[in-house]
Amino acid sequence: MVGAGGMSGAAPSGVGEVTGRSLPGRVLVAKPGLDGHDRGARLVALALRDAGFEVVYTGIRQTPQAIARAAVQEDVDVVGLSILSGAHVGLTRKVLDALRSEGAGSIPVIVGGLILPPDVPTLEAMGVARVFPSGTPLPEVVSGMEELCHRI
Amino acid sequence: MADVNESALQRIVAARQAWLESRDFSGVRDARTLIDDIPLDMIYTPADVVGLDYLEKLGFPGEYPFTRGSYPAMYRRRPWLMNQYSGFGAAEDTNVRWKRLLASGQWSVNLAFDLPSHLGMDSDDPMSEDEVGRLGCAVDSLADFEILFDGIDLATTPASFNTVGIAPIVIAMLIAVGEKQGLTAEQIMGTITNDILSVYCSRGTWIYPPEPSMRLATDLIEHACRYMPRFNPVNVQPVYMRETGASTAQEGGYGLAMSLSYAEHAMARGLTIDEVAPRLTIFFGASFRLFEEAAKLRAARRVWADVIKTRYAPQKKQSMGLRITGSSGGSGFIAEEPLTNVIRGTLGSLALVLGGVQGILLASYDEAYAIPTEAASKLGLRTQQIIFEESGTADVADPLGGSYYVEWLTDRMEELIRHHLAEVEEQGGAVDAVASGWLRSRMDPNIMKLQKDAEAGILKIVAKNAYVGADTQAPDVEVFQVDETAVARQLRRLEETRRSRSNREVRRLLDEIRIQARDPGRNLMPALIEAVKAYATVGEISAVFREEFGEWSEPAA
């Protein structure tokens, strides 16, 4: 498994990592479970970096516990989960539980990926701050993240 | 073309110029190919293909350079292999679906595995929770294969498997189940993906680091080249890279680079190019842009034929003929109005047929939502049957050949494919280019460009960002639901298998695999066949490999 903290702060060449207090926020982009389709996660990570966010991308196949630990260690403002296998309800519940056990239950969690419309209220009822099904325009994801980061 | 004499050509050039100057083209929209951004003229004429030597660059189907097709009679001899990806729940569920597809005229079966199986985890592994039987069929041991292939004759029904990390174990099980049908390995037909290089760049179903993974892949390729003449032991998957943002030409160049890498690894085992090359197949994706896709496929065959001829001097003609399968759909399908995907799938399939492929796996129109329902899966098959029987496309080999535009575009694609292939080789070949993360980094910018072009409306997708109506948001497809009883059935079967087999024998055979894994000079296939016959599970065997080979970590992104 990829160590969740192992890629912290790595910015793709050419993008240029922004540092300092004027940052819009610090985001953990994570892929829980076994699904390896990371096009969406990488796309969102790139878009957020372009918008000035500091982004930590965990890589694929992370356990809920590893994601929660990374969220605490990296002191992020938001945790973004990307799930395309269809197992989003079970996996999201586990990540929320793991965050609470790490004492980080207040970090807002957003979920993106192949999410069917009926599952959106289910996820929101569990405590997910926003759901961005695949196909959501990037500016919408970026502005949603900005709102969540500034709420803290 | 080359037979147009010079004065006639000059007249064409002059007339074309006069036509362009005499008509008003101001304000017409710009046209370019997808991602590769090749600018397109208003029209193509003999002047655009003036240097094209027919016999050198086109020739005849089944002949060097194979631009016009890999087989002489093409679809007059037989249709392309029409495949629908299917597999879900437990083995008995998939077996029922297969039998219905076979009754509808499909003549092969193609197994989709669930994620735990792909990753070498048994259904009772804690990491497998929520995923058993979800994206495909759960496969833990030979007991599952016995049910999967119940009533399906492996001597007459090609069996295809889309999996990588566990590929040698899967084929060991196939050989074992074939034996139970009274067949030798020689008689078994089919194809397995077994392309680890592509999944390091996309899809992410890798388990071990590149070097031991290539050893496992090559063990299977070598075994099949020697003992399974009717089985295709590797189907290189540039389609995955396409889904991750590779351009049309990158897909071609990177796919050929990977194919060459497998050929080289197999030749290092003492096989000749003529024993290896005819056994390789490649699987390309197709967008819905007919001419670009057909040009890519024609150009890929031409480049492959030239590279194999120049580098390895094969004795057999067929070593230079690239066998191509393809698929359409994937991320190009939309969730907003799923029925529009039926039309997209038709165009994508048509592009592949115009490009002369040997097989098509058409995504079902509901794939943007979930794994296909039976009705959607059947419609995918019907789409292909209609193209074959009713469109006339299959009557003449390479029907686009000779089109000024398509020949010009094929030449452009050839240049770009050669360029991308050379870039990978400058990185030390496909294995190094993948392991370093270089290959993946070439595709990331394209994903962003595609997304931004779609959001800006430059790239038009009907019912998603163009012609969106008030009712476009409400999907009315029937969505496939995972059967929770399948998970329970699978767990029960695994438990029964572990209880009824000789665990002492399984331990001995797993130890044997461990010893042989430490010796890269040994081909692991015989030991794997013995172990699966004793009902060692996919997870148990993979655990030995995990301990011996380690697991791979992605380069930082």
Side-chain angles (χ1 to χ4, degrees):
Chain A
M1 297 286 150
V2 180
M7 296 177 187
S8 55
S13 57
V15 173
E17 201 174 348
V18 184
T19 52
R21 296 308 305 167
S22 60
L23 283 173
R26 216 168 140 72
V27 179
L28 181 76
V29 175
K31 281 196 66 68
L34 306 182
D35 146 49
H37 292 93
D38 58 356
R39 172 178 167 158
R42 284 170 176 257
L43 181 65
V44 168
L46 284 170
L48 291 173
R49 280 174 186 156
D50 273 353
F53 286 83
E54 254 190 296
V55 181
V56 181
Y57 172 55
T58 63
I60 63 171
R61 267 187 250 165
Q62 299 299 307
T63 62
Q65 292 72 26
I67 291 168
R69 277 197 303 272
V72 172
Q73 276 163 17
E74 300 289 345
D75 188 27
V76 297
D77 301 315
V78 179
V79 172
L81 305 178
S82 168
I83 309 166
L84 284 92
S85 70
H88 43 270
V89 173
L91 285 169
T92 302
R93 182 176 293 123
K94 286 176 192 161
V95 172
L96 291 170
D97 288 346
L99 279 169
R100 278 191 285 269
S101 350
E102 293 281 334
S106 63
I107 302 178
V109 172
I110 67 138
V111 179
L114 255 179
I115 316 291
L116 297 173
D119 289 341
V120 174
T122 311
L123 290 169
E124 285 170 348
M126 281 161 52
V128 170
R130 295 283 171 83
V131 180
F132 295 118
S134 43
T136 307
L138 285 176
E140 211 176 291
V141 178
V142 170
S143 65
M145 286 289 198
E146 278 165 356
E147 282 169 33
L148 288 170
C149 288
H150 292 148
R151 189 186 291 176
I152 293 178
Chain B
M1 294 217 176
D3 55 356
V4 179
N5 68 48
E6 211 164 311
S7 66
L9 194 67
Q10 282 163 356
R11 285 207 307 279
I12 293 168
V13 172
R16 179 176 175 278
Q17 197 55 34
W19 173 73
L20 282 170
E21 284 166 9
S22 68
R23 313 302 297 215
D24 178 17
F25 293 101
S26 59
V28 300
R29 69 177 174 83
D30 181 47
R32 289 163 185 270
T33 65
L34 195 66
I35 312 179
D36 290 311
D37 262 344
I38 304 170
L40 300 176
D41 281 347
M42 297 299 297
I43 193 168
Y44 290 85
T45 70
D48 295 294
V49 291
V50 71
L52 189 67
D53 180 328
Y54 183 86
L55 293 176
E56 182 62 29
K57 300 291 265 184
L58 295 173
F60 296 90
E63 301 287 335
Y64 182 87
F66 295 92
T67 309
R68 308 207 67 181
S70 286
Y71 293 95
M74 290 303 288
Y75 308 131
R76 294 246 205 136
R77 175 75 61 204
R78 64 175 65 90
W80 59 92
L81 187 69
M82 300 178 192
N83 246 324
Q84 291 305 117
Y85 198 35
S86 55
F88 60 96
E92 53 273 21
D93 308 306
T94 300
N95 177 265
V96 168
R97 168 81 64 96
W98 278 358
K99 283 178 174 162
R100 287 203 205 122
L101 280 168
L102 290 168
S104 305
Q106 178 163 311
W107 42 284
S108 66
V109 291
N110 191 312
L111 183 62
F113 291 84
D114 68 0
L115 278 172
S117 304
H118 278 303
L119 300 176
M121 296 167 183
D122 284 337
S123 297
D124 57 357
D125 188 302
M127 281 293 280
S128 302
E129 203 186 333
D130 298 324
E131 294 286 6
V132 175
R134 182 178 283 280
L135 294 186
C137 180
V139 173
D140 292 316
S141 77
L142 183 59
D144 301 314
F145 260 43
E146 288 163 2
I147 295 164
L148 264 174
F149 290 98
D150 177 56
I152 291 167
D153 182 356
L154 285 168
T156 56
T157 314
S160 296
F161 303 90
N162 191 339
T163 196
V164 173
I166 58 163
I169 307 172
V170 167
I171 297 313
M173 293 201 291
L174 186 69
I175 292 168
V177 84
E179 248 177 54
K180 287 178 186 259
Q181 290 187 2
L183 303 173
T184 62
E186 268 183 6
Q187 293 171 280
I188 295 172
M189 282 192 287
T191 302
I192 188 157
T193 309
N194 192 30
D195 170 21
I196 191 68
L197 293 171
S198 291
V199 301
Y200 286 121
C201 308
S202 53
R203 198 170 183 235
T205 53
W206 38 262
I207 310 175
Y208 321 108
E211 195 186 323
S213 290
M214 282 302 284
R215 182 255 177 114
L216 286 171
T218 311
D219 279 358
L220 174 52
I221 295 169
E222 182 190 7
H223 189 84
C225 285
R226 296 192 195 281
Y227 309 112
M228 302 178 79
R230 303 171 81 194
F231 198 84
N232 304 308
V234 59
N235 186 12
V236 183
Q237 304 279 309
V239 61
Y240 294 157
M241 292 183 274
R242 189 70 177 275
E243 289 289 309
T244 309
S247 74
T248 316
Q250 279 176 325
E251 185 196 22
Y254 298 163
L256 293 187
M258 289 177 178
S259 303
L260 286 168
S261 192
Y262 292 111
E264 295 269 356
H265 276 74
M267 288 163 71
R269 301 283 178 93
L271 294 161
T272 66
I273 190 70
D274 291 312
E275 288 169 313
V276 176
R279 311 303 303 283
L280 304 176
T281 59
I282 192 163
F283 190 95
F284 283 116
S287 69
F288 318 122
R289 299 175 66 97
L290 298 176
F291 306 107
E292 287 162 45
E293 297 301 342
K296 169 191 73 185
L297 297 170
R298 300 171 88 241
R301 279 195 298 269
R302 189 193 282 167
V303 174
W304 178 257
D306 178 55
V307 169
I308 295 295
K309 185 182 180 183
T310 316
R311 291 191 192 173
Y312 308 107
Q315 303 297 303
K316 283 194 211 162
K317 197 180 283 181
Q318 73 206 70
S319 299
M320 297 179 286
L322 186 63
R323 289 183 305 156
I324 301 174
T325 51
S327 81
S328 193
S331 60
F333 278 3
I334 67 167
E336 287 80 356
E337 273 186 37
L339 283 175
T340 60
N341 297 331
V342 177
I343 316 301
R344 293 189 177 90
T346 307
L347 289 171
S349 302
L350 193 56
L352 290 164
V353 174
L354 289 169
V357 299
Q358 277 63 58
I360 295 178
L361 195 154
L362 175 57
S364 295
Y365 71 84
D366 54 358
E367 204 197 58
Y369 263 94
I371 72 166
T373 55
E374 186 158 343
S377 195
K378 186 173 171 183
L379 189 56
L381 176 62
R382 291 294 189 226
T383 304
Q384 298 188 55
Q385 288 169 336
I386 291 168
I387 292 172
F388 178 67
E389 297 289 355
E390 301 185 30
S391 76
T393 317
D395 290 347
V396 174
D398 190 28
L400 295 181
S403 149
Y404 307 124
Y405 172 42
V406 172
E407 296 302 353
W408 172 86
L409 193 55
T410 302
D411 285 354
R412 298 291 82 71
M413 284 288 172
E414 179 187 346
E415 290 163 9
L416 288 174
I417 289 171
R418 284 184 190 276
H419 163 76
H420 293 303
L421 170 59
E423 275 200 339
V424 174
E425 299 197 321
E426 279 162 26
Q427 295 292 317
V431 179
D432 289 350
V434 160
S436 67
W438 178 88
L439 203 57
R440 181 70 194 252
S441 74
R442 303 291 293 166
M443 297 178 246
D444 276 340
N446 295 347
I447 314 175
M448 186 59 93
K449 178 177 165 21
L450 279 174
Q451 180 78 16
K452 287 192 167 161
D453 283 359
E455 284 173 10
I458 298 166
L459 184 67
K460 290 206 183 343
I461 303 159
V462 172
K464 189 180 177 82
N465 71 357
Y467 314 102
V468 179
D471 56 346
T472 299
Q473 291 303 315
D476 54 353
V477 282
E478 178 198 348
V479 175
F480 178 85
Q481 299 289 344
V482 177
D483 175 5
E484 290 301 329
T485 71
V487 180
R489 279 182 273 128
Q490 185 64 25
L491 290 171
R492 200 161 54 237
R493 180 153 60 241
L494 177 57
E495 197 193 324
E496 277 164 19
T497 301
R498 289 218 176 95
R499 212 172 39 230
S500 59
R501 68 185 185 182
S502 163
N503 283 312
R504 189 199 180 105
E505 179 68 353
V506 168
R507 272 195 300 277
R508 186 184 71 76
L509 292 165
L510 289 174
D511 285 344
E512 185 58 33
I513 288 173
R514 185 184 304 279
I515 291 163
Q516 294 196 18
R518 291 174 184 167
D519 177 2
R522 293 291 291 267
N523 188 312
L524 283 158
M525 286 304 296
L528 289 173
I529 295 166
E530 289 311 306
V532 301
K533 281 185 189 171
Y535 297 90
T537 68
V538 171
E540 290 161 349
I541 296 169
S542 304
V544 172
F545 289 152
R546 279 188 160 94
E547 286 159 22
E548 294 302 320
F549 297 148
E551 289 192 55
W552 194 61
S553 294
E554 294 170 87

